[in-house]
Amino acid sequence: MLVLPDRDAAEEAAEELGARFGTHEEPQLVRDALAGEDDAEDAQWLLVIEDPDGRLSAAELDAFAVEWDGWREEP
């Protein structure tokens, strides 16, 4: 799962993910509002990536997320 700062970054990363890593399944985008915040500006976006075969390395995903000012988290 990648945590990204906004919807635009999450959508761009989702598009780039398939092109760069050859993934065929579209990642799921999920809005994650920060605790106690109602303002849409205070939301992070999660890019949920299914990789049952373990083709994507943690280091590759870490570097990928940083390109959009995000980070990788284990579910």
Side-chain angles (χ1 to χ4, degrees):
M1 173 171 53
L2 305 182
V3 180
L4 301 165
D6 57 47
R7 184 179 188 146
D8 290 339
E11 289 175 346
E12 289 176 24
E15 289 177 21
E16 180 65 23
L17 187 74
R20 186 172 309 178
F21 298 109
T23 58
H24 300 291
E25 188 172 323
E26 184 75 23
Q28 180 183 4
L29 294 175
V30 179
R31 182 180 179 272
D32 183 35
L34 299 175
E37 297 294 333
D38 293 328
D39 188 357
E41 295 296 318
D42 292 325
Q44 297 172 332
W45 284 79
L46 307 178
L47 188 60
V48 181
I49 303 165
E50 298 291 330
D51 184 29
D53 299 330
R55 293 180 37 213
L56 303 173
S57 76
E60 288 176 317
L61 290 174
D62 285 338
F64 182 77
V66 167
E67 293 178 31
W68 282 273
D69 296 325
W71 63 91
R72 180 184 60 85
E73 285 190 3
E74 295 291 327

